[in-house]
Amino acid sequence: QNLKHEELWGRGKVGSKEINEFLPSVLPGRTKDIVKASAAAIASEKSAPLVASAPIAIFAQGFSLNVGAYTGETNLPHLKEIGIGSSLVGHSETRWRKVNVYDTKSGKITKTYIQRGDTDEMINQKLKLASREGLGMILCVGEPREVRDAKGHVAFVISQIKKDLKDLSEEEILKTVKAIAYEPIWAINTGLTASDEDAQAMCGIIRDYLKETYSEELAKKMRIMYGGSVKPGSARGLFSQPDIDGFLIGGASLKIEDFANIGQTVNELG
């Protein structure tokens, strides 16, 4: 029987206002780690008292492999120095970066193109570095629309996981990979959400792969989460699935009422 780990992540979009309003309404008396917030949210002095006494972990949106004088980049030593012990890795917005070109007079977007970001090989290096440094990672995977339409999504996602975890031992994976988040790219910032059945199918396939490749213990202990336009109306059905342990939430974390409603659903069903 799989364990429900009961996780809720505001994917880098939860600010101090959301922290202050969300915690009292959802987390009274809670003892489990249920909410994760981006580092920026915890920087506010207004949030500090609540954060100090609440089941919250701080994580980064990402980090660079470069160490040294690289302007504009944050690396693992930087994160460790300010007390951040976790980060996302492999999110689609870092695997593929959307670049907008703006008209200088009107300020309107005139062109958008996609630029290659982190490869699976780079993500694998980041996970190995995190393992050596003792930091926890949330590994994000997911397929684009054209792959899903061509029914190649299973092979695509399993290939990502296989390459991302290459040469990591079971012990290193358990220590370093705190969760695997399935985020179909076509459901991110689009308003589209995978059906309960489709989300469960992929999360179940990921757990089966971990069991077959590593062990039943690792498969049971691994948090497998869903992300992709999760809303209050879809949270109950998704979280009721046996292999979905929680959510990685983007847009809904900007709306405190929606985020709180999702949190209450996870709390109720967990």
Side-chain angles (χ1 to χ4, degrees):
Q1 182 180 0
N2 293 326
L3 304 176
K4 275 290 186 182
H5 296 283
E6 205 168 334
E7 296 270 333
L8 184 68
W9 295 73
R11 180 175 54 79
K13 298 181 180 179
V14 184
S16 58
K17 177 178 182 291
E18 286 79 7
I19 289 289
N20 291 333
E21 295 179 6
F22 178 79
L23 291 179
S25 63
V26 179
L27 298 179
R30 298 289 295 173
T31 57
K32 295 181 180 179
D33 288 339
I34 182 173
V35 177
K36 317 293 181 180
S38 70
I42 314 303
S44 168
E45 292 183 2
K46 296 179 181 178
S47 299
L50 281 172
V51 169
S53 59
I56 284 188
I58 308 171
F59 75 100
Q61 293 181 343
F63 63 93
S64 171
L65 283 169
N66 295 321
V67 177
Y70 289 85
T71 301
E73 296 190 1
T74 302
N75 55 43
L76 281 189
H78 293 155
L79 297 180
K80 290 183 69 176
E81 186 176 348
I82 60 174
I84 297 175
S86 302
S87 176
L88 294 179
V89 63
H91 191 275
S92 64
E93 291 174 357
T94 61
R95 290 181 188 261
W96 300 97
R97 302 181 187 277
K98 184 170 73 171
V99 180
N100 294 324
V101 179
Y102 295 87
D103 180 81
T104 54
K105 292 183 178 180
S106 68
K108 294 181 179 180
I109 298 173
T110 58
K111 181 181 178 183
T112 298
Y113 62 93
I114 302 299
Q115 190 176 65
R116 191 69 167 102
D118 287 356
T119 64
D120 285 308
E121 290 71 23
M122 292 170 67
I123 293 164
N124 179 247
Q125 290 180 49
K126 288 185 175 185
L127 288 173
K128 290 175 179 176
L129 177 60
S131 178
R132 292 195 296 271
E133 295 289 336
L135 274 74
M137 298 287 114
I138 301 92
L139 173 61
C140 302
V141 296
E143 81 283 355
R145 179 82 256 182
E146 59 270 21
V147 172
R148 163 68 67 163
D149 289 343
K151 302 188 184 306
H153 50 290
V154 172
F156 186 94
V157 170
I158 295 303
S159 174
Q160 284 183 318
I161 296 173
K162 184 176 181 180
K163 292 175 182 177
D164 296 343
L165 299 181
K166 183 179 179 182
D167 297 330
L168 285 166
S169 69
E170 181 172 336
E171 181 181 358
E172 289 172 323
I173 293 170
L174 282 169
K175 181 182 73 172
T176 305
V177 182
K178 302 304 181 183
I180 295 177
Y182 170 57
E183 284 199 302
I185 297 173
W186 49 269
I188 298 174
N189 297 325
T190 64
L192 300 174
T193 304
S195 68
D196 298 348
E197 295 76 17
D198 285 345
Q200 162 57 29
M202 183 58 80
C203 290
I205 287 168
I206 292 172
R207 201 179 300 279
D208 287 343
Y209 171 80
L210 296 175
K211 179 180 178 180
E212 294 166 4
T213 307
Y214 300 98
S215 71
E216 185 173 1
E217 178 188 11
L218 187 147
K220 283 185 176 181
K221 287 184 176 180
M222 182 62 66
R223 293 172 172 90
I224 299 178
M225 307 167 69
Y226 172 77
S229 300
V230 177
K231 297 179 175 63
S234 61
R236 181 172 297 274
L238 287 165
F239 194 68
S240 296
Q241 304 306 309
D243 289 299
I244 297 179
D245 296 320
F247 300 125
L248 186 61
I249 300 173
S253 67
L254 290 172
K255 302 175 182 178
I256 187 59
E257 185 176 348
D258 286 355
F259 196 39
N261 284 340
I262 296 170
Q264 288 164 355
T265 297
V266 171
N267 191 357
E268 177 187 336
L269 296 177

